[in-house]
Amino acid sequence: MASVSAVRRFPVVADLTLVTAGAMTANVAGYLLQLLAGRWLGVSGYSEFASLLAVQLLCAVPALALQNVVARELVRGASVGALRGLQWRCAVIVAGVVAVLVPVVTNALNVGVWACAAALGAAPALVLLSGEQGVLQGGRQFRALGVVLGAAGMLRVAPALVVLAVGGGAALALCAAALGIAVAAVFARFVAGTPSARARTGTGEDAVVHAIGVLPVLRAAQVQAALMALSSTDLIVVRMVLDDADASRYALGTIAAKIAFWLPQAVGVVLYPRMAQPTHSARAIRSALAVLSGIGIVAVACAALAAPLAPLLAGHDYAPIQGLLWLFALHGAILAVLQGAMLSAIAVDRTALAALTWLGLAVEVTLMVSFARSIPTLITTVASVAAVTTLVVAIIVLRTADRDSGVPIRQSERLP
């Protein structure tokens, strides 16, 4: 029996490794794009590019939520055809919202209308791409999912880098990136292809999928949106409170925050199943938060040690933020712990905790707009607000898990 369990574990480990490799490929490609864009666009042009990438990240929230819903409903028996219909409905809705947002964002951030349209225009393609990733995930095609994740990152970044390398500006680079995302969506559809025999067993109708899908997408989106907003809104606000040069320097510093935030994502993937079990939830949550904190400490130390390399890689215009990179990394590490805590809340179906993250975001924006007028003040403000928010959420999650772990297990629920 032990040998059988061990054999079954190997494919799971291989699938997880490939998915992680694909995600890391996409993340590294994204970091490279921001680093080279900061160098090629200079302090006068990078701020617009980075701010619109942050807006694009916020617009990806519906796509990420849709992926979760598609994967779950496919496992529950919905047909792939019906779920792909849901993808297209969501894409059309997102396209309509984008059309309304383009002039608003253009005026709010004082950016070019074509650059803004290119950044936001990628959102419907992101929805279709994420929907196909949900099909692969729900169909247990994890190796194919890893390929799609890595390819999507490369297809998004490579065209933008080519445009920037030949002297194109932010608008053309964002157009190229949007085109790459659209190509990635087509590629994902090709890879997903005809659903497997397991996936074809679904019997859901379009009306049923729509009834099941809309509200769960909204619930999943508000949790994801709260965290992504807290991790990205500072890039938008700096355009309003700093000059272009300092806003570009701040934007480059957030690369350290993004690395510290995305680096330990596999921790939640591995421990999530145990978080969902009441008798093991408290221990799993403590383990996740402890490991995330440990990785965060290492990330902060590495950022401090690597700080002298920043001007060499990005240009001497960014030397003023060299001594602050550890603080940017600390911000990302804190947000990684917050994500682990929120993931555990999702595991036990207590997504109302996202309200605390929204409250933290409101406090952060208020403080930034009212008082912060320099890079050190801004990053100290956002890191402090994130720390307080994370501490409160983590305490509530741990206390809830401790209480739930004391609930007796009914005889019918005991393992044989």
Side-chain angles (χ1 to χ4, degrees), residues 265-277:
Q265 295 305 297
V267 174
V269 173
V270 172
L271 293 178
Y272 182 84
R274 293 181 66 82
M275 291 179 184
Q277 296 176 324

Side-chain angles (χ1 to χ4, degrees), residues 54 57-58 227-237 258 335:
L57 182 62
L58 294 178
L227 188 63
M228 295 186 72
L230 192 64
S231 65
S232 304
T233 301
D234 57 329
L235 272 174
I236 299 173
V237 176
K258 290 182 174 66
L335 290 174

Side-chain angles (χ1 to χ4, degrees), residues 182-194:
V183 173
V186 175
F187 175 72
R189 175 64 178 82
F190 172 78
V191 171
T194 303

Side-chain angles (χ1 to χ4, degrees), residues 31 59 90-91 107 135 147 159-160 199 209 243 259 335 343 377 395 411:
Y31 302 145
C59 291
C90 289
N107 291 328
V135 171
V147 171
V209 171
D243 59 37
I259 292 174
L335 290 174
L343 182 63
T377 305
I395 290 174
Q411 187 65 33

Side-chain angles (χ1 to χ4, degrees), residues 265-303:
Q265 295 305 297
V267 174
V269 173
V270 172
L271 293 178
Y272 182 84
R274 293 181 66 82
M275 291 179 184
Q277 296 176 324
T279 54
H280 301 291
S281 182
R283 180 179 298 178
I285 293 171
R286 283 194 171 85
S287 297
L289 298 185
V291 173
L292 289 170
S293 298
I295 294 175
I297 292 172
V298 173
V300 172
C302 290

Side-chain angles (χ1 to χ4, degrees), residues 4 28 58 66 85 94 116-117 165 170 261-262 265 282 371:
V4 173
V28 170
L58 294 178
L66 177 66
V94 168
C116 184
F261 177 66
W262 291 111
Q265 295 305 297
F371 304 107

Side-chain angles (χ1 to χ4, degrees), residues 103-240:
V104 176
V105 175
T106 299
N107 291 328
L109 299 185
N110 191 27
V111 295
V113 63
W114 291 112
C116 184
L120 297 184
L126 281 171
V127 168
L128 296 176
L129 171 61
S130 295
E132 292 302 323
Q133 290 174 176
V135 171
L136 292 172
Q137 185 179 4
R140 280 85 165 179
Q141 302 178 61
F142 294 113
R143 300 183 183 188
L145 178 60
V147 171
V148 169
L149 289 172
M154 296 301 296
L155 287 169
R156 170 177 173 264
V157 169
L161 286 180
V162 171
V163 170
L164 291 172
V166 299
L172 286 177
L174 289 167
C175 283
L179 180 61
I181 293 172
V183 173
V186 175
F187 175 72
R189 175 64 178 82
F190 172 78
V191 171
T194 303
S196 64
R198 181 184 180 97
R200 284 197 301 266
T201 59
T203 58
E205 300 294 335
D206 283 351
V208 175
V209 171
H210 181 74
I212 294 174
V214 172
L215 289 180
V217 167
L218 292 177
R219 285 197 297 269
Q222 67 94 17
V223 176
Q224 190 70 41
L227 188 63
M228 295 186 72
L230 192 64
S231 65
S232 304
T233 301
D234 57 329
L235 272 174
I236 299 173
V237 176
V238 295
R239 287 277 301 177
M240 305 175 185

